[in-house]
Each structure stands twice: as structure tokens, then as C-alpha cells.
Amino acid sequence: MTDTTGAQEPGDAPAVPASAVWLKGQLLEIASALRPDRRPELARAWTDPVRWRDPAPVGHRFLFLLCVATDDRPTPPDDVLNAFAAAGWTVRTQRSGPDGESWATAGREDFDVRVYTGAGRGLTTLTGWTPVVYAERQLGQPLFTRSTADGILCDGCHGWGVCLECGGRPYSGGSGGYGRCWCAGNNAGPGRCVECGGTGLLTAEEEAWLRRRHGDDAPSRQPPPEDGHDSNTGAFLAVSRRPCRCGEFRCSWRNTLSRTDGHLLSHFHATCRTCATRRTHTFRLPLR
Ligand SMILES: [Zn+2]
Ligand SMILES: [Zn+2]
Ligand SMILES: [Zn+2]
């Protein structure tokens, strides 16, 4: 990987566009409607730099992570989705795991939100993102950016899924057409990225190789539980602000809340979006 710094964005911080301001307002408003008695917690606001061929970004996506407080009263996932629908969003996908986790996505125009509810109904988080905003050259939208991928971006195309030499456009011949490209798909088009076959992501084998290279080949080791937080929301806010040992903070946290020996045990796990390390944190919380 050539761009593995993650937390340190190259260049100046981009100006916040109106689209990001609007999205943040929508998320806070919907979260407030769900729990009028609690101020929603904005855990993190950040950007995903978007690369084309050069290391310098050509555009940015703006993202926000909110925690809908659920410590004293779990918020059913359907209530969250109904609140999005009432605000004009469309629920696009919905799936649930066997132990009570659930994932859903809602969209409105080019904006997306991922709604996650942990096992044990400990936590509901909202991750919202804008379309990629370009500084100069107006490109289309990549398949993924680093935070929205369910995996690690391909080294060759950085999540675009297409060959960046021909832009994925077929060879059209003639003087006004696009030149013939080295990529296998170009004559017939579209010129898919040869490294990832158009998925935009590393394969499971490449991810495992990356993980081994970073010394993470013992996924079963569990850190001892940490004390010092009295709510799962507090624990989540702490976890969401911790970087991986590689410096990257981007990952999609999952949470399991269980009751053991007179206290609650909150377990977080995620895969780093840059080095593939499997990250875990456990907290011992008081029973209410
Ligand atoms: Zn090509
Ligand atoms: Zn690729
Ligand atoms: Zn990492």
C-alpha cells in the first residue's frame, strides 16, 4: 500500500461544503427525534481523501459518526429506520445477524447512512456520508472510499474498480477517441482494474497477507477488560477515537453487550481499513 498513513491526510484540510453541513444537521435532527431527552453524541467527523492516479487527493468524502444513546432504553432498529423514513430517506438494505446485531442502509439522493445496532441492544450507531466532492476535475463516484468499503481498498484503483489509465472507458478509436490502454478489458470496455477484477477491494487472501505482514496472526487474543467508563456510550466514544497501531482510525465497530458476574461486559471489534489488523477492546461497565 502506498497510502497507509490514514490519520494524516496529505495537504490542507478541505473546506466543508454545504452538503456536509446539511448531512450533519439531518443526522443530529433524526437522532434527536429518536431520543428527545438525550443530546445525540457526535463521535467523529472526518473525511476520506479520494485518489485517482496521483497520491494527492482529487476530492473528499465527508463522514459523520453518531451514537444514539441507548444505555437506559434500547432503541429498536425499526424505530431508527422509521425516523429516517419520516425525514424523507429511503431504506435501501436491511439485514440482521443471529445474535441480535443488525445493519441497514438508508439513502437520500447521493447521501448514505449506515445504521448499526449491536448484539445485546447495547448500542446504535449512525454513519453518514456525502458523495465525493471534487476540487477541480469532476469525476464520477468511486465504488467505495476507505470508510465506506466493507474491506480494504485495492492498491491499483483505490476503490474505483476501473483501470485508472483509461478511466474504465472502452477504446473508441479515431483521433477524438480514447487511446488503446494496456488493461485487458479496454478493447471491449469497460476497462476494469486488473488487480481487483473490478471489485475495488483487496481479496481475502491479500487481506490475510497484509495482516500477517503487520504481525497480526493471533486473532483470538483478548485484551483484559478496561474499567473507567460507566456507560456503553462512553465506552464507544472512547473506542471510536482510538487509532489502530498503524495510525488509521477508520473501521466499522461492532459491539456485543452481555451481563456477567454482576456487571456488563461490552466487547468491541473491528478490522482496520488500512492494515487489516483485527482490533478488539473490552470494557467492564456497571449494571444499572
Ligand atoms: Zn485501461
Ligand atoms: Zn482495483
Ligand atoms: Zn491498522
Side-chain angles (χ1 to χ4, degrees):
M1 315 263 301
T2 48
D3 176 21
T4 55
T5 50
Q8 295 89 40
E9 315 292 3
D12 299 327
V16 177
S19 58
V21 175
W22 177 83
L23 175 64
K24 183 182 170 187
Q26 281 279 300
L27 294 171
L28 288 170
E29 203 175 301
I30 291 166
S32 303
L34 280 164
R35 290 297 304 270
D37 56 321
R38 289 280 201 98
R39 210 159 54 90
E41 295 278 3
L42 180 66
R44 183 150 215 152
W46 73 101
T47 61
D48 276 359
V50 175
R51 290 180 60 186
W52 186 252
R53 276 174 234 159
D54 299 325
V58 290
H60 290 84
R61 161 169 279 150
F62 294 76
L63 303 101
F64 301 96
L65 172 64
L66 273 79
C67 182
V68 181
T70 55
D71 290 304
D72 52 344
R73 180 155 52 85
T75 308
D78 283 351
D79 287 8
V80 183
L81 296 179
N82 289 339
F84 273 96
W89 292 67
T90 305
V91 176
R92 288 178 177 159
T93 62
Q94 238 179 315
R95 86 188 154 89
S96 51
D99 53 2
E101 278 180 290
S102 72
W103 296 264
T105 56
R108 187 168 159 180
E109 291 158 26
D110 295 334
F111 296 84
D112 289 280
V113 174
R114 186 195 294 132
V115 179
Y116 168 75
T117 300
R121 293 265 178 94
L123 197 70
T124 297
T125 62
L126 311 175
T127 311
W129 59 84
T130 67
V132 176
V133 179
Y134 294 102
E136 288 164 19
R137 186 178 161 198
Q138 298 299 307
L139 297 160
Q141 294 291 315
L143 295 175
F144 311 104
T145 59
R146 208 182 297 157
S147 302
T148 67
D150 192 14
I152 295 175
L153 298 189
C154 166
D155 288 337
C157 67
H158 322 301
W160 285 89
V162 298
C163 162
L164 299 185
E165 294 300 322
C166 62
R169 294 167 301 192
Y171 173 60
S172 59
S175 55
Y178 308 117
R180 203 177 291 267
C181 179
W182 56 269
C183 72
N186 187 246
N187 279 320
R192 289 203 182 85
C193 169
V194 290
E195 288 190 35
C196 65
T199 65
L201 301 174
L202 295 188
T203 62
E205 296 75 48
E206 287 166 332
E207 222 181 276
W209 177 84
L210 195 60
R211 189 176 293 133
R212 279 197 302 277
R213 205 183 71 175
H214 285 85
D216 176 26
D217 39 19
S220 56
R221 97 203 109 108
Q222 291 282 335
E226 296 174 43
D227 293 307
H229 289 281
D230 54 10
S231 74
N232 205 24
T233 305
F236 174 72
L237 293 176
V239 160
S240 66
R241 286 158 192 173
R242 284 184 194 174
C244 176
R245 58 186 170 178
C246 75
E248 176 64 272
F249 60 85
R250 294 174 185 82
C251 60
S252 202
W253 289 110
R254 294 170 64 174
N255 180 244
T256 305
L257 191 66
S258 56
R259 185 186 282 235
T260 41
D261 303 335
H263 56 256
L264 291 169
L265 213 55
S266 173
H267 181 64
F268 291 91
H269 63 112
T271 302
C272 174
R273 292 281 164 79
T274 289
C275 73
T277 291
R278 283 170 285 213
R279 302 180 57 194
T280 59
H281 297 287
T282 303
F283 295 86
R284 190 171 17 227
L285 307 170
L287 271 177
R288 272 167 304 274

PDB file of all heavy atoms in Angstrom, residues 13 53 98 107 125 156 170 243 251-252 262:
ATOM      1  N   ALA A  13      -6.568  20.635   4.929  1.00  0.00           N
ATOM      2  CA  ALA A  13      -7.917  20.120   5.156  1.00  0.00           C
ATOM      3  C   ALA A  13      -8.855  20.802   4.164  1.00  0.00           C
ATOM      4  O   ALA A  13      -8.784  22.014   3.964  1.00  0.00           O
ATOM      5  CB  ALA A  13      -8.339  20.401   6.580  1.00  0.00           C
ATOM      6  N   ARG A  53      -4.859   8.825 -10.050  1.00  0.00           N
ATOM      7  CA  ARG A  53      -3.547   8.184 -10.272  1.00  0.00           C
ATOM      8  C   ARG A  53      -2.489   8.678  -9.294  1.00  0.00           C
ATOM      9  O   ARG A  53      -1.648   7.931  -8.844  1.00  0.00           O
ATOM     10  CB  ARG A  53      -3.073   8.464 -11.692  1.00  0.00           C
ATOM     11  CG  ARG A  53      -3.654   7.498 -12.700  1.00  0.00           C
ATOM     12  CD  ARG A  53      -3.266   7.919 -14.101  1.00  0.00           C
ATOM     13  NE  ARG A  53      -4.444   8.053 -14.921  1.00  0.00           N
ATOM     14  CZ  ARG A  53      -4.504   8.778 -16.037  1.00  0.00           C
ATOM     15  NH1 ARG A  53      -3.463   9.455 -16.443  1.00  0.00           N
ATOM     16  NH2 ARG A  53      -5.606   8.822 -16.727  1.00  0.00           N
ATOM     17  N   PRO A  98     -27.449 -13.496  13.683  1.00  0.00           N
ATOM     18  CA  PRO A  98     -28.161 -14.432  14.549  1.00  0.00           C
ATOM     19  C   PRO A  98     -28.196 -14.006  16.019  1.00  0.00           C
ATOM     20  O   PRO A  98     -29.077 -14.411  16.768  1.00  0.00           O
ATOM     21  CB  PRO A  98     -27.381 -15.741  14.377  1.00  0.00           C
ATOM     22  CG  PRO A  98     -26.037 -15.334  13.880  1.00  0.00           C
ATOM     23  CD  PRO A  98     -26.230 -14.062  13.107  1.00  0.00           C
ATOM     24  N   GLY A 107     -30.853   5.914   2.237  1.00  0.00           N
ATOM     25  CA  GLY A 107     -30.269   6.860   1.293  1.00  0.00           C
ATOM     26  C   GLY A 107     -31.227   7.981   0.970  1.00  0.00           C
ATOM     27  O   GLY A 107     -32.455   7.839   1.087  1.00  0.00           O
ATOM     28  N   THR A 125     -25.483   2.950  16.234  1.00  0.00           N
ATOM     29  CA  THR A 125     -24.650   3.997  15.649  1.00  0.00           C
ATOM     30  C   THR A 125     -25.140   4.338  14.241  1.00  0.00           C
ATOM     31  O   THR A 125     -25.681   3.487  13.533  1.00  0.00           O
ATOM     32  CB  THR A 125     -23.163   3.583  15.573  1.00  0.00           C
ATOM     33  OG1 THR A 125     -23.032   2.432  14.738  1.00  0.00           O
ATOM     34  CG2 THR A 125     -22.598   3.274  16.951  1.00  0.00           C
ATOM     35  N   GLY A 156      -4.420  -0.867  -6.628  1.00  0.00           N
ATOM     36  CA  GLY A 156      -4.321  -0.412  -8.017  1.00  0.00           C
ATOM     37  C   GLY A 156      -5.314   0.679  -8.369  1.00  0.00           C
ATOM     38  O   GLY A 156      -4.999   1.596  -9.126  1.00  0.00           O
ATOM     39  N   PRO A 170     -14.214   2.312 -22.764  1.00  0.00           N
ATOM     40  CA  PRO A 170     -13.743   1.442 -23.843  1.00  0.00           C
ATOM     41  C   PRO A 170     -12.963   2.234 -24.890  1.00  0.00           C
ATOM     42  O   PRO A 170     -13.178   3.425 -25.073  1.00  0.00           O
ATOM     43  CB  PRO A 170     -15.031   0.868 -24.420  1.00  0.00           C
ATOM     44  CG  PRO A 170     -16.096   1.813 -24.018  1.00  0.00           C
ATOM     45  CD  PRO A 170     -15.662   2.467 -22.747  1.00  0.00           C
ATOM     46  N   PRO A 243      -6.881   5.326  17.581  1.00  0.00           N
ATOM     47  CA  PRO A 243      -6.378   4.831  16.301  1.00  0.00           C
ATOM     48  C   PRO A 243      -5.815   3.411  16.421  1.00  0.00           C
ATOM     49  O   PRO A 243      -5.468   2.955  17.509  1.00  0.00           O
ATOM     50  CB  PRO A 243      -5.268   5.821  15.964  1.00  0.00           C
ATOM     51  CG  PRO A 243      -4.787   6.325  17.283  1.00  0.00           C
ATOM     52  CD  PRO A 243      -5.937   6.243  18.248  1.00  0.00           C
ATOM     53  N   CYS A 251     -12.608   2.229  10.680  1.00  0.00           N
ATOM     54  CA  CYS A 251     -13.035   0.840  10.783  1.00  0.00           C
ATOM     55  C   CYS A 251     -14.507   0.884  11.156  1.00  0.00           C
ATOM     56  O   CYS A 251     -15.031   1.951  11.476  1.00  0.00           O
ATOM     57  CB  CYS A 251     -12.232   0.062  11.821  1.00  0.00           C
ATOM     58  SG  CYS A 251     -12.346   0.715  13.472  1.00  0.00           S
ATOM     59  N   SER A 252     -15.176  -0.237  11.087  1.00  0.00           N
ATOM     60  CA  SER A 252     -16.602  -0.283  11.381  1.00  0.00           C
ATOM     61  C   SER A 252     -16.776  -1.082  12.665  1.00  0.00           C
ATOM     62  O   SER A 252     -16.682  -2.311  12.646  1.00  0.00           O
ATOM     63  CB  SER A 252     -17.303  -0.941  10.189  1.00  0.00           C
ATOM     64  OG  SER A 252     -18.645  -0.581  10.179  1.00  0.00           O
ATOM     65  N   GLY A 262     -22.404  -9.814  37.848  1.00  0.00           N
ATOM     66  CA  GLY A 262     -22.778  -8.546  38.476  1.00  0.00           C
ATOM     67  C   GLY A 262     -22.341  -7.296  37.735  1.00  0.00           C
ATOM     68  O   GLY A 262     -22.369  -6.202  38.293  1.00  0.00           O
TER      69      GLY A 262
END
